[in-house]
Amino acid sequence: YSHKQFVNEAEALEEILARTKPRAVGFGEFHQQENTRNTLSSLERFSDSLLPVLAGKTSDLIVETWVGSGNCGKQELKVLKDVDEVTKRPKATEDETVRLRKKARGLGIKPHILTIRCEDYDKIIDGDGGVDYFGLLKLIGGRLGEKGGQILAAAGSGNKEKIVALYGGAIHNDVAPADDWKDFSFASEIEQASGGRYVEVDLYVPE
């Protein structure tokens, strides 16, 4: 069949996992913005409905977020302020990512966030002093793939068959990205690190 209808998203994920038996799953969302803040976000739906499905099957969850260190000077402040203004995400999004990580830990899944170094901020400031968003997207995709690859490679006998999940924007998890977007996707790296057992799952809220 080309498609199948499910009662809810949890049932759909259960079937995906049962059919594909993945070693890594890349969850990609359409980031919520301020104008849809009254709609339950993909992030909250993932926390409430899909994360429990992963419990017991998943060792690690890597979330596309990072915390500014405050030690990288004006370049760091510029990037964080500019990203906040341009993405127009609701203020609640930060709380939702914290809640996701706490809930994952409570379900026995180890949460991780990205590490952005001082030299990274320097690289994504363009010649006019603004943020190079193509550079930023490439950096984020690269760090997701790097972290996921490290965890997959380091898996011991106790969790070598458990899933490593990655959660972020849907531009980063594409198995077959358009040529213009392929530098932003971690899929090929994770597919290789997982021995070809990588599955892309996209999360979109119609509203």
Side-chain angles (χ1 to χ4, degrees):
Y1 49 78
S2 59
H3 69 276
K4 184 174 180 180
Q5 187 168 340
F6 295 89
V7 174
N8 54 51
E9 57 266 40
E11 283 194 5
L13 181 58
E14 288 276 16
E15 176 147 334
I16 289 170
L17 299 180
R19 284 168 59 104
T20 62
K21 295 179 173 52
R23 182 72 178 83
V25 181
F27 292 94
E29 68 161 29
F30 186 86
H31 293 315
Q32 188 174 42
Q33 296 188 313
E34 181 63 28
N35 62 349
T36 59
R37 68 185 182 279
N38 294 323
T39 300
L40 194 64
S41 68
S42 296
L43 183 54
E44 282 221 79
R45 291 168 191 256
F46 179 80
S47 293
D48 291 339
S49 301
L50 300 183
L51 195 62
V53 175
L54 296 172
K57 307 178 182 74
T58 303
S59 61
D60 297 83
L61 171 66
I62 305 162
V63 184
E64 183 204 319
T65 189
W66 75 91
V67 177
S69 68
N71 298 320
C72 299
K74 63 181 182 180
Q75 304 291 55
E76 178 184 22
L77 295 175
K78 169 65 179 174
V79 171
L80 295 176
K81 182 175 184 293
D82 204 78
V83 168
D84 187 51
E85 291 176 354
V86 171
T87 58
K88 295 184 172 69
R89 294 185 194 172
K91 295 299 181 185
T93 299
E94 184 174 346
D95 293 334
E96 288 177 10
T97 62
V98 172
R99 178 172 172 261
L100 170 60
R101 283 145 48 202
K102 286 182 177 178
K103 188 162 186 176
R105 193 176 289 110
L107 291 170
I109 301 170
K110 185 176 181 180
H112 307 266
I113 62 173
L114 304 182
T115 300
I116 303 298
R117 308 178 185 100
C118 293
E119 56 267 30
D120 295 326
Y121 291 112
D122 294 336
K123 290 175 184 175
I124 56 178
I125 296 293
D126 62 27
D128 298 322
V131 177
D132 172 10
Y133 278 91
F134 286 100
L136 178 59
L137 289 170
K138 185 175 180 180
L139 173 67
I140 290 172
R143 286 295 153 79
L144 285 164
E146 178 183 289
K147 188 68 175 177
Q150 289 171 352
I151 293 170
L152 286 163
S157 58
N159 65 354
K160 66 180 180 181
E161 283 303 309
K162 286 197 172 181
I163 294 166
V164 173
L166 302 95
Y167 188 96
I171 197 171
H172 298 302
N173 70 331
D174 283 350
V175 173
D179 287 344
D180 290 345
W181 304 104
K182 63 183 180 181
D183 287 343
F184 310 144
S185 176
F186 58 72
S188 60
E189 183 175 353
I190 296 301
E191 191 162 42
Q192 182 177 359
S194 64
R197 295 169 58 194
Y198 168 73
V199 174
E200 169 192 344
V201 177
D202 291 328
L203 309 175
Y204 295 96
V205 180
E207 294 83 353

